[in-house]
Amino acid sequence: MNKNWRGVFEQIVFTLAVFLVFLLAFEDQLVVPIWLQSVGRLHPLVLHFPIVLLALLLIFEFFRFSQPTSDAQVIIEKWVTDLWIFGAVLTGLTTIFGLLLSKESGYTGDTLFWHKWSAVSLFIVFGVIYWLRYRSFYQKLSSRLLVGLVSILLLFTGHYGASLTHGEGYLLAPLNQNKQIYLEDALVFDHMVKPILEKKCISCHNPDKKKGELDMSDITNLVKGGKNGKLFVIGKPELSLLLERIHLPISDEKHMPESGQPQLTDEEKQILSLWIKGNASFTKKVSELVPSDSLRMIASKIFASVNNQDVAYDFSEADSKTIDQLANEYRTITPIAKNSPALRVNIFNKSDFNSKKLEELLAIKEQIVFLSVAKLPVQDADLAIISQFKNLERLDLNFTNVSAKGLLDLKTLERLKSISLSGTQVKFQDLQAALMGLKKLQAVYLWDTPLTEDELRRIATKFASIQVNAGFKDDGKNPLKLNPPELKNTSTIFETDAPLTLFHTIKGVQIRYTMDGTEPDSLKSAIFDGKVRVSADTRIRARAFKAGWIGSDESVFEYYKCAIKPDSVTVVLPLNRVHLANGPKSFFDRNLGTFNANSPAWANFWTGVRNNDMELNLDFKTPKTISVVSLRIMEELATGIFPPQSIEIWGKLNSNGKFKRIQVLKIPVPKEMKFHELYAIDVKFKPTNFKELKIIAKPLEKIPQWHGAKDKRALLLVDEIFLN
């Protein structure tokens, strides 16, 4: 670099220094305009090159006076001098950009203070060294002292910058993670939830960088929330801002974490959702969760168990591909503990269950140590299959159809320690015979069985080594809260009418319900007697009551009438690749979707479109008279899921005719944010005899201006179509 250019760069450094002094002097009165905020955001973009350049120059400077000067060293020195002034310019620009960035909302605290002043000091000292390098007094000792000072300032600046970006203690965090946490000692919040927040959230939401006025670094501020309100609604993840933001499209400006930052994994999202659903406790231990709890099952994969440290299973791990093939939305397969070959299996969905579901598990029969088939139509014959799981330790048969005679097949299970028989019809004599064959049994659970108190007492006396648990006895002194009523129906979609099949797992419970939209109470609402039938679209609200107990929370069930089903369905335009469900079959399979993203009903039952219309052709072998077409949709405005802007109904009256537009329904665009809903949109018209029917639902082309994703296309989700 010639002297003229070097002089220009020296003037730039001097100008930057003056400008920096001006900014620091009037920092409190400084208001950064929008266009200049973008300049400030160049700070993280440009800072890495000056850091690397400074480090190299400091190494050159440290060894500058170590050896006699040669011709080569003279040439290198000229290059180093040029780089030195260039580095001073970049350091000054980076410092000014950082100062402008700090004026945006969310940057406060001691960390910002020390980061700012260590950066300013670094720029000043670096510039001073440039002007001192050719002074006569600048020799080996003085150069190394100044190099040491710049090195310290560089480390301090980097440390405080990393703390602002990644949170306090970021540098030493890996060292603090070496402590072994066992399943029995783990706390749900401290060891499952908090690490997620620290890795993915606290870098932007800490005492020194409160984006959105939100600090997530401690419990008090986490509960307090930020400028947009509380982060979570206890027990209701579907209404919680935290879950809403992390599930927004990554392109949405309100998505958390920001685009370019490490995103939450599916398991991390599920942990946060389950923690909030479980009342967001900050003190609950993982060991307090029931073994079948989803959060407990995730924890068993994360933490090793003290109890399993001494268990030396004499079998190897199952093939991971086999486990992946067997696991589905109705059958979960997880290790009982981290690095353990032993597996826990839970099977769900009464309507989908048959003996084959158990036979398929014979591929991993050696590894299964826990099996739950509770509330499934398991018969005595199925126990012969279960008896082949030779390492089984715990078996949950609650509310199944097994009898005590069938349990005799389990005598081959030499490691069986616990068996749950609550809600079954076991008989006294048969149960005694079965228990005699289970030599290693330590506990049996017999809630809600036909056994009398005297029979239970006799069993406990005869089998003293077995803990006989008969459950809670209602003496009126310790009231508990009832769980909500449940529904036996596998589907609430019907052709003509359907029975209302409310039930409760506790005997003597009175179920009260309403069908007019009002909340059920313990005095005025109708008492469910098992004789009610539903013949039209109806919303059922129900609660359970019993003397000496606290009334349950409300259950809500929706019934839909669909009297006509097409012989074939064709999807004319492509569905969204994320919301394919089961293709054309999805619209009339009687499977209703839900809000819960962790539920199979979310993943498997919703069809969606965004970039084109949802266009369906329905064909009838025999013409059908139809006057109402209903689309059940999801409306979740916060995540950009809007109702359609219109629904068109077209029809052919005969095979050779042309499609004729029958009806167009325009749906009002929501005017403000509101809670999500699931509901059916009815398109009504004069009764018409159709041979073919075309349904065109148009997604909203432009999300309204009040929404964070304004002007973007909305997502339309449909799970079922009803024809009447």
Side-chain angles (χ1 to χ4, degrees):
M1 184 184 297
N2 60 43
K3 290 184 178 181
N4 291 335
W5 276 109
R6 188 174 298 164
V8 170
F9 274 91
E10 289 174 354
Q11 291 297 321
I12 292 174
V13 172
F14 179 76
T15 303
L16 290 174
V18 172
F19 184 49
L20 183 59
V21 170
F22 170 79
L23 292 178
L24 292 170
F26 298 97
E27 186 177 3
D28 293 338
Q29 290 78 40
L30 186 62
V31 177
V32 181
I34 298 297
W35 66 269
L36 201 53
Q37 287 182 11
S38 298
V39 175
R41 294 188 179 192
L42 290 172
H43 174 73
L45 181 67
V46 301
L47 65 85
H48 298 95
F49 184 65
I51 290 174
V52 174
L53 187 59
L54 263 62
L56 290 173
L57 290 174
L58 291 175
I59 294 172
F60 278 119
E61 197 68 17
F62 187 84
F63 293 104
R64 179 182 175 194
F65 298 101
S66 298
Q67 295 183 9
T69 302
S70 64
D71 292 341
Q73 284 179 308
V74 171
I75 296 172
I76 292 173
E77 175 60 25
K78 288 182 179 180
W79 277 96
V80 170
T81 302
D82 294 340
L83 288 175
W84 201 274
I85 188 63
F86 185 56
V89 170
L90 288 177
T91 305
L93 285 172
T94 304
T95 305
I96 290 172
F97 292 163
L99 190 61
L100 295 174
L101 180 63
S102 71
K103 303 311 295 180
E104 292 191 27
S105 62
Y107 293 93
T108 57
D110 291 341
T111 304
L112 176 65
F113 174 86
W114 289 111
H115 179 59
K116 176 179 68 177
W117 286 108
S118 58
V120 171
S121 301
L122 178 64
F123 171 55
I124 293 172
V125 175
F126 194 73
V128 167
I129 293 177
Y130 171 76
W131 269 284
L132 291 179
R133 293 181 78 248
Y134 289 104
R135 303 296 184 269
S136 59
F137 59 84
Y138 186 81
Q139 296 297 322
K140 185 175 183 179
L141 178 60
S142 57
S143 71
R144 292 193 173 182
L145 288 174
L146 286 172
V147 165
L149 176 60
V150 173
S151 300
I152 292 171
L153 289 172
L154 186 61
L155 288 173
F156 269 90
T157 306
H159 167 69
Y160 288 117
S163 297
L164 274 175
T165 306
H166 300 285
E168 201 67 39
Y170 171 75
L171 184 64
L172 300 178
L175 300 177
N176 297 328
Q177 292 176 355
N178 290 331
K179 183 181 177 182
Q180 176 72 61
I181 303 295
Y182 291 106
L183 185 67
E184 291 76 9
D185 300 323
L187 296 171
V188 174
F189 178 75
D190 284 358
H191 302 119
M192 295 185 73
V193 176
K194 188 178 178 181
I196 298 173
L197 303 182
E198 289 177 340
K199 286 191 296 182
K200 306 293 173 72
C201 306
I202 291 180
S203 61
C204 291
H205 303 286
N206 57 69
D208 300 310
K209 187 180 178 183
K210 295 182 182 178
K211 284 199 171 183
E213 300 175 16
L214 175 62
D215 179 4
M216 301 174 71
S217 62
D218 60 68
I219 292 174
T220 302
N221 285 303
L222 189 64
V223 172
K224 179 182 176 183
K227 71 176 183 181
N228 293 315
K230 292 185 177 297
L231 270 182
F232 52 85
V233 179
I234 292 176
K236 297 183 178 180
E238 71 276 9
L239 301 181
S240 298
L241 182 64
L242 176 63
L243 272 298
E244 174 191 315
R245 291 296 178 86
I246 64 178
H247 281 102
L248 284 173
I250 196 168
S251 59
D252 195 301
E253 61 181 16
K254 293 185 178 180
H255 173 84
M256 290 171 43
E258 293 180 349
S259 176
Q261 298 291 330
Q263 299 297 306
L264 276 74
T265 64
D266 290 340
E267 182 175 86
E268 289 172 337
K269 293 176 184 177
Q270 188 176 15
I271 289 172
L272 294 179
S273 178
L274 292 170
W275 173 66
I276 294 172
K277 186 176 182 180
N279 294 328
S281 171
F282 292 96
T283 58
K284 180 174 283 188
K285 297 181 70 173
V286 171
S287 58
E288 295 176 32
L289 303 172
V290 296
S292 60
D293 185 273
S294 299
L295 200 53
R296 172 71 177 263
M297 293 168 67
I298 294 174
S300 68
K301 295 190 295 182
I302 299 174
F303 307 107
S305 171
V306 172
N307 296 330
N308 288 327
Q309 300 306 301
D310 301 325
V311 177
Y313 289 108
D314 55 0
F315 51 82
S316 58
E317 291 184 10
D319 180 65
S320 59
K321 292 183 179 178
T322 302
I323 294 176
D324 290 342
Q325 290 172 355
L326 292 172
N328 55 44
E329 64 268 28
Y330 299 134
R331 183 167 54 197
T332 62
I333 304 174
T334 57
I336 64 166
K338 188 178 182 180
N339 300 324
S340 174
L343 299 175
R344 179 195 311 274
V345 178
N346 289 265
I347 305 178
F348 313 96
N349 193 344
K350 181 184 296 186
S351 63
D352 185 64
F353 178 80
N354 53 49
S355 298
K356 186 179 179 181
K357 297 295 184 291
L358 290 171
E359 292 173 351
E360 291 170 346
L361 292 172
L362 293 175
I364 53 171
K365 63 181 181 181
E366 289 190 359
Q367 287 80 18
I368 299 175
V369 300
F370 174 91
L371 174 66
S372 173
V373 288
K375 299 183 179 180
L376 298 179
V378 178
Q379 309 291 335
D380 284 347
D382 296 319
L383 296 179
I385 302 172
I386 294 174
S387 68
Q388 299 179 59
F389 304 157
K390 62 180 183 180
N391 294 312
L392 194 64
E393 297 176 357
R394 295 181 58 199
L395 177 60
D396 185 350
L397 294 169
N398 289 339
F399 299 96
T400 59
N401 299 329
V402 300
S403 70
K405 284 185 179 179
L407 297 178
L408 293 172
D409 283 333
L410 302 181
K411 62 185 179 181
T412 57
L413 298 177
E414 299 179 354
R415 296 187 178 184
L416 190 63
K417 299 176 183 177
S418 169
I419 186 168
S420 299
L421 298 166
S422 300
T424 61
Q425 298 301 307
V426 292
K427 296 180 179 178
F428 175 65
Q429 295 295 341
D430 297 333
L431 182 60
Q432 282 195 104
L435 293 179
M436 290 180 66
L438 300 173
K439 304 298 184 183
K440 294 291 182 70
L441 198 66
Q442 298 175 3
V444 59
Y445 296 86
L446 298 166
W447 292 48
D448 201 15
T449 62
L451 300 173
T452 65
E453 289 190 21
D454 179 62
E455 288 172 338
L456 288 167
R457 189 163 45 249
R458 288 164 62 186
I459 290 175
T461 301
K462 184 171 183 177
F463 300 95
S465 62
I466 299 176
Q467 178 187 353
V468 179
N469 192 324
F472 173 75
K473 298 301 179 183
D474 183 10
D475 57 7
K477 297 179 181 179
N478 300 290
L480 298 177
K481 186 173 184 177
L482 292 166
N483 51 303
E486 299 179 47
L487 198 65
K488 290 182 181 178
N489 302 52
T490 55
S491 175
T492 57
I493 302 172
F494 58 91
E495 292 185 11
T496 54
D497 64 1
L500 179 59
T501 55
L502 298 171
F503 77 97
H504 203 280
T505 55
I506 297 176
K507 289 182 177 180
V509 165
Q510 186 181 79
I511 299 176
R512 289 184 177 262
Y513 70 97
T514 63
M515 302 171 69
D516 60 1
T518 59
E519 183 178 352
D521 60 34
S522 61
L523 297 176
K524 299 178 181 179
S525 301
I527 300 173
F528 177 68
D529 59 5
K531 300 177 182 179
V532 182
R533 297 190 73 83
V534 180
S535 58
D537 291 2
T538 308
R539 196 166 191 257
I540 311 293
R541 301 174 68 175
R543 292 182 64 194
F545 301 95
K546 185 179 180 181
W549 295 66
I550 299 171
S552 75
D553 292 331
E554 183 181 88
S555 290
V556 178
F557 309 104
E558 292 181 327
Y559 279 72
Y560 295 97
K561 185 175 182 178
C562 184
I564 301 168
K565 187 175 180 179
D567 294 297
S568 67
V569 180
T570 304
V571 178
V572 179
L573 297 175
L575 298 172
N576 188 309
R577 63 182 180 82
V578 181
H579 302 100
L580 297 172
N582 197 23
K585 297 179 181 178
S586 305
F587 300 101
F588 293 92
D589 62 3
R590 299 198 170 191
N591 289 321
L592 297 177
T594 69
F595 282 115
N596 185 359
N598 297 316
S599 164
W602 167 270
N604 299 335
F605 301 156
W606 288 105
T607 61
V609 292
R610 188 196 300 273
N611 297 317
N612 52 260
D613 297 343
M614 180 177 284
E615 184 172 340
L616 310 173
N617 282 356
L618 282 55
D619 182 72
F620 306 94
K621 291 180 181 178
T622 304
K624 302 293 183 183
T625 301
I626 300 171
S627 60
V628 182
V629 175
S630 304
L631 276 66
R632 186 173 184 267
I633 69 159
M634 176 188 292
E635 181 181 303
E636 193 173 34
L637 307 183
T639 56
I641 304 172
F642 277 70
Q645 67 181 27
S646 67
I647 300 175
E648 298 180 8
I649 305 299
W650 295 67
K652 279 186 182 182
L653 306 185
N654 55 67
S655 300
N656 299 322
K658 294 183 178 180
F659 274 111
K660 177 183 177 182
R661 190 163 70 179
I662 307 298
Q663 184 64 287
V664 177
L665 177 67
K666 293 186 177 180
I667 294 92
V669 179
K671 296 181 179 180
E672 59 183 10
M673 191 69 73
K674 56 183 178 179
F675 289 135
H676 55 231
E677 294 182 81
L678 300 177
Y679 58 92
I681 299 177
D682 297 335
V683 185
K684 299 179 180 180
F685 44 88
K686 187 173 88 172
T688 307
N689 206 33
F690 290 103
K691 185 67 175 63
E692 290 185 49
L693 185 70
K694 182 189 291 290
I695 302 172
I696 302 176
K698 296 179 177 291
L700 187 63
E701 291 183 0
K702 285 189 177 183
I703 292 176
Q705 296 298 303
W706 55 261
H707 195 280
K710 61 183 180 182
D711 295 331
K712 295 181 180 178
R713 288 184 68 93
L715 177 64
L716 169 62
L717 293 183
V718 179
D719 61 349
E720 285 290 306
I721 295 176
F722 313 122
L723 306 178
N724 294 290

